[in-house]
Amino acid sequence: MTTPPPAVQFLATDGSFAPSAGSDEYLPYIEALTDEQHEQFYRDMAVIRRFDTECTNLQRQGQMALWPPSHGQEAAQVGSARATKRQDHIFPSYREHVVGKIRGIDLMGIVELMRGTTLGGWDVNDPKNGNFHGYTLVLGTQTLHATGYGMGINFDGAVGTGNPDTDTAVIVYFGDGSTSEGDVNEAMVFAASYQTPTVFFLQNNQWAISVPVATQSRVPLYLRPRGFGIPSVQVDGNDVLASYAVSAKHLDDARNGLGPSYIEAQTYRIGAHTTSDDPTRYQNDEQLAYWVARDPILRFEAFLKNKGASEAFFADVEQEAADFAADIRKRTLELPNPTIDNLFDHVYSEPHPLITEQKAWLANYEASFGGDK
Amino acid sequence: MAVEELPLAKAINAGLRKAMTDNDKVLLMGEDIGTLGGVFRVTEGIKAEFGDKRVLDTPLAESGIVGTAIGLALRGYRPVCEIQFDGFVYPAFNQITTQLAKLTNRGRGTLTMPVVIRIPYGAHIGAIEHHMESPEAYFAHTAGLRVVSPSTPNDAYWMIQESIESNDPVIFFEPKSRYWPKGPVDLDASASPLHASRVARTGTDATLVGHGAMVTMMLQAAELAASEGVSLEVIDLRSISPIDYAPILESVTKTGRLVVCQEAAGFVSVGSEIAATVAEKAFYSLQAPVIRVSSFDVPVPAPRIEQLFLPDVDRILEAVDRSLAY
Ligand SMILES: Cc1ncc(C[n+]2csc(CCOP(=O)(O)OP(=O)(O)O)c2C)c(N)n1
Ligand SMILES: [Mg+2]
């Protein structure tokens, strides 16, 4: 099975610049990009892939409960994340590690979540975390949160004023499997009804664990939102330029008060769903080979090399990636285990008698073992 | 007598195959249950044997799974739905509680709802959020649902078949930490009916009652207590709704002391219900208040701290000591 060519593409599989038919309206965003931005895209993708490998290894070594890799989906994520503005809000699913990194979170927050030392990971209200909201594991639920957040932005009059520094958009990430959940469909109803500044960013990586996207939809998924009155576009999610330009345009539209839109990024999950998964049970070799040949990082590397990027640049990125991964490994091994406080604190925002009593009971009980339990 | 040593997961698999062979209206539906065989491999190989009209790798939507199972049941099928993890049942909660549980009553006896919902549940597997919950009280609280949980491979094999035979909806909780250890399965005859509780170990000083993975822990506690001269009786609840009180009351009449053990949090829980009922029905036999050993009333925590959250053998024995001290 091969996937039909996506609607918007700027880079051919070999990295040559070859805008697809229908990509014209996005071209200005590409033309405005500088060499530094190109290099940044590459750096983002290469560093996160190295990070993913490190985390998978750490999981294999018993240092994490689980790891969900983003291998193969880097261009979709980097392009869309780099298209956001400082004031925008991001509602991720659980695989958007590089989006979090670009928005400024310390990726140790994700590591802690997946290692199993916390249920949270980072403070969304801390400005240095770039309005990157918490990871969501119950599929699709975040699409409604993003829509409600957008309703609030509308009510606050923070769209369509023409002020580029305050008009605000929301982008929400979800997968092809999740599109079947009621919440995602209800989110589209609300987004359309209230004309929220929400960009629905679907990463169609062709699989929901072992279930192919064909089980979720008989038509390309980007057609579904149209029935809800939400304009949509399909993009080659393995082309970082296309992902960037399409996201930038639709985020602009959202900030300008034009309401919601929907982007389907065609991509592929190279490898396992998570470290708990065994894709050899269901993955199709031919399809895998098709997508490996469309690797987003190799494609962009070819593009940069054609443009004359130096060997020194690539060596520098490789070094940065290695250093980044080494730092993550070091800090993962140093992470303390949670304590009784983690268990009982913040269940409610005000004291609660049952919690207070149980916390005291457990502290007492643990102490009765003389600290050797 | 044909007895096979099987892990609980494989026993359910064998029970499902048996039910599907006996009745071609039985079909399986859920996420990743076909080609993959389920994330716990409980349905491994069944699609290959019975085909994709009997084993449905459904779209990813729990409300869709249960809602369409209801429609299939109205059409005469006996669907067995798998919810991938305990924490992902809630999108289906509306269908389960407002429709599945109530259609029989609404139909004044003209409708039956022979739907089974299998839910892997419970902790001790070191998993991240939503993958280690014990939500049985929500379902037991809903009239119209039968709720069961096997603790042994033998019970798993028989109870899944009996649940499929039930004309009422059954929420079938599978203790995932018990999926892998093997135990004997008698392939010829069921030891007890679906809703019977079972004395898993006899004793005289105090009674422990619980279900699912907690049964193994209660038996370990009883073993340890025995080495210190305390004789504990252990009752495996098996059925959470209805609860078979006769063996529990009989035991309490004998021992005079009851410790209810559960992996779920204690507030408004199955254990609370048992404690209240035993206090009402066996008041004069009790020599100590009924004590509950539960998880704390906080969200199921990150796995690196699950051991502090969950009841363990020591906490059971501490409760037994408190009971015996009266
Ligand atoms: C409500 C709910 N049901 C089931 C699951 C279990 N589950 C986790 S990921 C997954 C597949 C998700 O597929 P998709 O939405 O395509 O995202 P991807 O993992 O491919 O990025 C499933 C079934 C879940 N997390 N939440
Ligand atoms: Mg997917």
Side-chain angles (χ1 to χ4, degrees), chain B residues 267-292:
Chain B
F267 189 69
V268 197
S269 62
V270 174
S272 309
E273 180 60 32
I274 295 173
T277 304
V278 170
E280 277 172 22
K281 296 198 172 165
F283 186 70
Y284 287 110
S285 303
L286 286 169
Q287 295 171 44
V290 180
I291 299 179
R292 282 168 298 164

Side-chain angles (χ1 to χ4, degrees), chain B residues 14 21 30 77 86 97 112-113 122 127 153 155 159 186 197-198 212 215 229 237 266 273 303 306 312 319:
Chain B
T21 305
Y77 285 86
D86 34 58
T97 54
T112 57
M113 273 293 127
D155 276 349
M159 288 169 73
D186 178 348
S197 54
R198 170 181 74 95
V215 174
L237 210 50
E273 180 60 32
E306 71 166 318
D312 59 10

Side-chain angles (χ1 to χ4, degrees), chain A residues 296-314:
Chain A
I297 300 184
L298 294 179
R299 188 188 308 191
F300 203 56
E301 184 181 324
F303 169 75
L304 291 180
K305 283 186 171 157
N306 288 344
K307 279 176 34 90
S310 68
E311 283 306 324
F313 164 72
F314 292 105

Side-chain angles (χ1 to χ4, degrees), chain A residues 31-205:
Chain A
E31 288 167 351
L33 286 171
T34 63
D35 286 351
E36 287 69 39
Q37 283 173 299
H38 286 156
E39 292 192 350
Q40 186 64 57
F41 291 173
Y42 181 82
R43 200 176 282 276
D44 290 337
M45 294 195 290
V47 171
I48 214 68
R49 185 167 290 184
R50 185 66 189 77
F51 164 78
D52 249 326
T53 307
E54 196 64 38
C55 290
T56 299
N57 292 344
L58 282 162
Q59 197 283 335
R60 295 278 177 247
Q61 293 154 8
Q63 297 296 334
M64 299 225 209
L66 182 82
W67 189 253
S70 56
H71 189 150
Q73 299 177 217
E74 294 90 348
Q77 297 186 3
V78 167
S80 54
R82 284 288 169 199
T84 58
K85 285 192 176 177
R86 190 191 46 79
Q87 68 271 24
D88 293 340
H89 279 254
I90 323 301
F91 286 78
S93 153
Y94 45 79
R95 226 185 260 291
E96 289 74 31
H97 317 318
V98 74
V99 180
K101 183 168 187 291
I102 288 169
R103 295 299 301 187
I105 71 161
D106 179 351
L107 291 194
M108 284 306 291
I110 298 175
V111 169
E112 287 181 49
L113 196 61
M114 299 298 168
R115 179 175 168 88
T117 60
T118 178
L119 299 176
W122 54 93
D123 174 4
V124 180
N125 292 320
D126 184 337
K128 76 175 189 308
N129 290 330
N131 305 331
F132 187 69
H133 290 252
Y135 266 8
T136 325
L137 303 176
V138 184
L139 297 171
T141 51
Q142 75 278 15
T143 56
L144 279 164
H145 310 161
T147 301
Y149 202 92
M151 289 163 66
I153 291 172
N154 271 353
F155 298 156
D156 292 344
V159 286
T161 69
N163 183 334
D165 298 323
T166 57
D167 282 347
T168 303
V170 181
I171 184 167
V172 59
Y173 292 87
F174 56 105
D176 47 293
S178 308
T179 62
S180 294
E181 289 284 3
D183 277 7
V184 175
N185 293 278
E186 292 180 26
M188 289 194 281
V189 171
F190 275 68
S193 195
Y194 292 96
Q195 287 296 294
T196 63
T198 311
V199 174
F200 291 87
F201 194 90
L202 161 62
Q203 291 172 84
N204 178 355
N205 65 5

Side-chain angles (χ1 to χ4, degrees), chain A residues 116 181 210 216 281 339 358, chain B residues 32 44 60 62 297 304-305:
Chain A
E181 289 284 3
S210 71
Q216 319 294 345
R281 285 175 171 259
T339 63
Q358 291 183 357
Chain B
D32 302 286
E44 184 160 28
L60 209 174
E62 292 76 13
D297 290 291
R304 292 252 163 187
I305 199 177

